[in-house]
């Protein structure tokens, strides 16, 4: 069966801002993940096209002693979103689908970049993006209320 391209959301550009990876074949095989994101907006170089996007940072085993894998990645992505959707719907599509896409890209980058670890020690686990987004948005809301 032929797949159709999404008319609602398309990834237009991905840029890796930072990528640090450490491997230790004798380290502990576990994954403690810390992540953060910020919705962003920017204009294309031609000054005409507006894009919405995400800046996403992932830290793997950042504070873990002697892990087999330690990584830190910051990635920025631009998306083309269906303009017929409300602003709220556009943001939701970018957050939920966009973060899922970016996490998948990062999983692949780490898996491919590791050279000495066996596959079971370099494949990041799947995560619950919905809970992550809800908790992050709540934290941003709480921080806004503290500023008032």
């Amino acid at each position: 069966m032929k797949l159709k391209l999404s008319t609602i959301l398309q990834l237009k550009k991905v840029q890796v801002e930072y990528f640090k990876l450490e491997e230790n074949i004798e380290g502990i095989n576990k994954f403690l993940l810390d992540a953060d994101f910020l919705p962003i907006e920017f204009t294309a170089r031609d000054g005409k096209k507006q894009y919405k996007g995400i800046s996403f940072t992932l830290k793997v085993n950042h504070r873990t002693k002697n892990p087999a894998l330690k990584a830190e990645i910051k990635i920025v992505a631009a998306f083309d979103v269906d303009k017929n959707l409300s602003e709220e719907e556009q943001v939701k599509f970018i957050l939920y689908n966009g973060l899922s896409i970016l996490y998948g890209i990062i999983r692949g980058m780490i898996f491919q970049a590791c050279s000495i670890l066996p596959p079971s020690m370099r494949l990041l686990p799947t995560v619950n993006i919905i809970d992550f987004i809800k908790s992050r948005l709540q934290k941003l809301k709480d921080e806004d209320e503290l500023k008032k």
Side-chain angles (χ1 to χ4, degrees), residues 3-16:
L3 292 174
K4 293 181 181 180
L5 296 180
S6 171
T7 58
I8 297 173
L9 182 74
Q10 283 294 320
L11 177 62
K12 288 300 181 183
K13 184 174 181 172
V14 175
Q15 182 173 334
V16 177

PDB file of all heavy atoms in Angstrom, residues 3-16:
ATOM      1  N   LEU A   3       2.033   4.947   0.825  1.00  0.00           N
ATOM      2  CA  LEU A   3       1.874   5.923   1.902  1.00  0.00           C
ATOM      3  C   LEU A   3       1.687   7.316   1.325  1.00  0.00           C
ATOM      4  O   LEU A   3       2.338   7.685   0.349  1.00  0.00           O
ATOM      5  CB  LEU A   3       3.104   5.917   2.808  1.00  0.00           C
ATOM      6  CG  LEU A   3       3.329   4.673   3.643  1.00  0.00           C
ATOM      7  CD1 LEU A   3       4.663   4.767   4.367  1.00  0.00           C
ATOM      8  CD2 LEU A   3       2.215   4.478   4.640  1.00  0.00           C
ATOM      9  N   LYS A   4       0.816   8.095   1.945  1.00  0.00           N
ATOM     10  CA  LYS A   4       0.602   9.481   1.531  1.00  0.00           C
ATOM     11  C   LYS A   4       1.381  10.400   2.459  1.00  0.00           C
ATOM     12  O   LYS A   4       1.466  10.158   3.657  1.00  0.00           O
ATOM     13  CB  LYS A   4      -0.882   9.837   1.606  1.00  0.00           C
ATOM     14  CG  LYS A   4      -1.736   9.096   0.614  1.00  0.00           C
ATOM     15  CD  LYS A   4      -3.181   9.545   0.747  1.00  0.00           C
ATOM     16  CE  LYS A   4      -4.056   8.788  -0.218  1.00  0.00           C
ATOM     17  NZ  LYS A   4      -5.452   9.201  -0.101  1.00  0.00           N
ATOM     18  N   LEU A   5       1.932  11.451   1.905  1.00  0.00           N
ATOM     19  CA  LEU A   5       2.607  12.452   2.718  1.00  0.00           C
ATOM     20  C   LEU A   5       1.586  13.214   3.548  1.00  0.00           C
ATOM     21  O   LEU A   5       0.469  13.462   3.105  1.00  0.00           O
ATOM     22  CB  LEU A   5       3.376  13.426   1.839  1.00  0.00           C
ATOM     23  CG  LEU A   5       4.530  12.861   1.019  1.00  0.00           C
ATOM     24  CD1 LEU A   5       5.180  13.965   0.198  1.00  0.00           C
ATOM     25  CD2 LEU A   5       5.550  12.188   1.912  1.00  0.00           C
ATOM     26  N   SER A   6       1.991  13.598   4.745  1.00  0.00           N
ATOM     27  CA  SER A   6       1.122  14.380   5.604  1.00  0.00           C
ATOM     28  C   SER A   6       0.947  15.776   5.033  1.00  0.00           C
ATOM     29  O   SER A   6       1.916  16.421   4.621  1.00  0.00           O
ATOM     30  CB  SER A   6       1.721  14.472   7.008  1.00  0.00           C
ATOM     31  OG  SER A   6       0.989  15.391   7.781  1.00  0.00           O
ATOM     32  N   THR A   7      -0.279  16.250   5.007  1.00  0.00           N
ATOM     33  CA  THR A   7      -0.550  17.628   4.592  1.00  0.00           C
ATOM     34  C   THR A   7      -0.632  18.547   5.807  1.00  0.00           C
ATOM     35  O   THR A   7      -0.748  19.751   5.666  1.00  0.00           O
ATOM     36  CB  THR A   7      -1.870  17.707   3.806  1.00  0.00           C
ATOM     37  OG1 THR A   7      -2.931  17.210   4.634  1.00  0.00           O
ATOM     38  CG2 THR A   7      -1.790  16.906   2.519  1.00  0.00           C
ATOM     39  N   ILE A   8      -0.560  17.952   7.001  1.00  0.00           N
ATOM     40  CA  ILE A   8      -0.707  18.726   8.229  1.00  0.00           C
ATOM     41  C   ILE A   8       0.637  19.199   8.766  1.00  0.00           C
ATOM     42  O   ILE A   8       0.789  20.344   9.166  1.00  0.00           O
ATOM     43  CB  ILE A   8      -1.447  17.896   9.302  1.00  0.00           C
ATOM     44  CG1 ILE A   8      -2.853  17.573   8.809  1.00  0.00           C
ATOM     45  CG2 ILE A   8      -1.492  18.632  10.625  1.00  0.00           C
ATOM     46  CD1 ILE A   8      -3.611  16.622   9.684  1.00  0.00           C
ATOM     47  N   LEU A   9       1.641  18.323   8.742  1.00  0.00           N
ATOM     48  CA  LEU A   9       2.939  18.661   9.338  1.00  0.00           C
ATOM     49  C   LEU A   9       4.066  18.030   8.528  1.00  0.00           C
ATOM     50  O   LEU A   9       4.033  16.839   8.238  1.00  0.00           O
ATOM     51  CB  LEU A   9       2.994  18.132  10.775  1.00  0.00           C
ATOM     52  CG  LEU A   9       4.257  18.436  11.569  1.00  0.00           C
ATOM     53  CD1 LEU A   9       4.284  19.905  11.982  1.00  0.00           C
ATOM     54  CD2 LEU A   9       4.325  17.559  12.808  1.00  0.00           C
ATOM     55  N   GLN A  10       5.033  18.849   8.151  1.00  0.00           N
ATOM     56  CA  GLN A  10       6.214  18.360   7.454  1.00  0.00           C
ATOM     57  C   GLN A  10       7.464  18.941   8.105  1.00  0.00           C
ATOM     58  O   GLN A  10       7.539  20.149   8.369  1.00  0.00           O
ATOM     59  CB  GLN A  10       6.213  18.763   5.972  1.00  0.00           C
ATOM     60  CG  GLN A  10       5.301  17.947   5.104  1.00  0.00           C
ATOM     61  CD  GLN A  10       5.740  16.502   5.002  1.00  0.00           C
ATOM     62  OE1 GLN A  10       6.923  16.198   4.897  1.00  0.00           O
ATOM     63  NE2 GLN A  10       4.778  15.597   5.028  1.00  0.00           N
ATOM     64  N   LEU A  11       8.424  18.074   8.370  1.00  0.00           N
ATOM     65  CA  LEU A  11       9.722  18.514   8.876  1.00  0.00           C
ATOM     66  C   LEU A  11      10.476  19.147   7.719  1.00  0.00           C
ATOM     67  O   LEU A  11      10.648  18.534   6.667  1.00  0.00           O
ATOM     68  CB  LEU A  11      10.493  17.308   9.426  1.00  0.00           C
ATOM     69  CG  LEU A  11      11.896  17.560   9.941  1.00  0.00           C
ATOM     70  CD1 LEU A  11      11.884  18.518  11.126  1.00  0.00           C
ATOM     71  CD2 LEU A  11      12.547  16.244  10.334  1.00  0.00           C
ATOM     72  N   LYS A  12      10.908  20.380   7.888  1.00  0.00           N
ATOM     73  CA  LYS A  12      11.577  21.099   6.806  1.00  0.00           C
ATOM     74  C   LYS A  12      13.089  21.197   6.987  1.00  0.00           C
ATOM     75  O   LYS A  12      13.833  21.209   6.021  1.00  0.00           O
ATOM     76  CB  LYS A  12      10.985  22.518   6.647  1.00  0.00           C
ATOM     77  CG  LYS A  12       9.616  22.509   6.059  1.00  0.00           C
ATOM     78  CD  LYS A  12       9.651  21.875   4.690  1.00  0.00           C
ATOM     79  CE  LYS A  12       8.324  21.854   4.008  1.00  0.00           C
ATOM     80  NZ  LYS A  12       8.377  21.173   2.727  1.00  0.00           N
ATOM     81  N   LYS A  13      13.524  21.316   8.229  1.00  0.00           N
ATOM     82  CA  LYS A  13      14.961  21.450   8.458  1.00  0.00           C
ATOM     83  C   LYS A  13      15.298  20.973   9.863  1.00  0.00           C
ATOM     84  O   LYS A  13      14.551  21.220  10.800  1.00  0.00           O
ATOM     85  CB  LYS A  13      15.406  22.896   8.287  1.00  0.00           C
ATOM     86  CG  LYS A  13      16.896  23.082   8.426  1.00  0.00           C
ATOM     87  CD  LYS A  13      17.354  24.469   8.110  1.00  0.00           C
ATOM     88  CE  LYS A  13      18.860  24.517   8.253  1.00  0.00           C
ATOM     89  NZ  LYS A  13      19.434  25.732   7.795  1.00  0.00           N
ATOM     90  N   VAL A  14      16.443  20.294   9.970  1.00  0.00           N
ATOM     91  CA  VAL A  14      16.961  19.863  11.264  1.00  0.00           C
ATOM     92  C   VAL A  14      18.405  20.322  11.349  1.00  0.00           C
ATOM     93  O   VAL A  14      19.174  20.153  10.395  1.00  0.00           O
ATOM     94  CB  VAL A  14      16.910  18.326  11.415  1.00  0.00           C
ATOM     95  CG1 VAL A  14      17.561  17.900  12.717  1.00  0.00           C
ATOM     96  CG2 VAL A  14      15.488  17.829  11.357  1.00  0.00           C
ATOM     97  N   GLN A  15      18.763  20.892  12.464  1.00  0.00           N
ATOM     98  CA  GLN A  15      20.144  21.306  12.680  1.00  0.00           C
ATOM     99  C   GLN A  15      20.600  20.816  14.041  1.00  0.00           C
ATOM    100  O   GLN A  15      19.943  21.068  15.052  1.00  0.00           O
ATOM    101  CB  GLN A  15      20.265  22.823  12.607  1.00  0.00           C
ATOM    102  CG  GLN A  15      21.692  23.305  12.782  1.00  0.00           C
ATOM    103  CD  GLN A  15      21.823  24.789  12.542  1.00  0.00           C
ATOM    104  OE1 GLN A  15      21.038  25.378  11.820  1.00  0.00           O
ATOM    105  NE2 GLN A  15      22.819  25.385  13.160  1.00  0.00           N
ATOM    106  N   VAL A  16      21.720  20.114  14.049  1.00  0.00           N
ATOM    107  CA  VAL A  16      22.306  19.659  15.305  1.00  0.00           C
ATOM    108  C   VAL A  16      23.180  20.787  15.830  1.00  0.00           C
ATOM    109  O   VAL A  16      24.149  21.177  15.191  1.00  0.00           O
ATOM    110  CB  VAL A  16      23.126  18.364  15.108  1.00  0.00           C
ATOM    111  CG1 VAL A  16      23.787  17.944  16.421  1.00  0.00           C
ATOM    112  CG2 VAL A  16      22.243  17.254  14.570  1.00  0.00           C
TER     113      VAL A  16
END
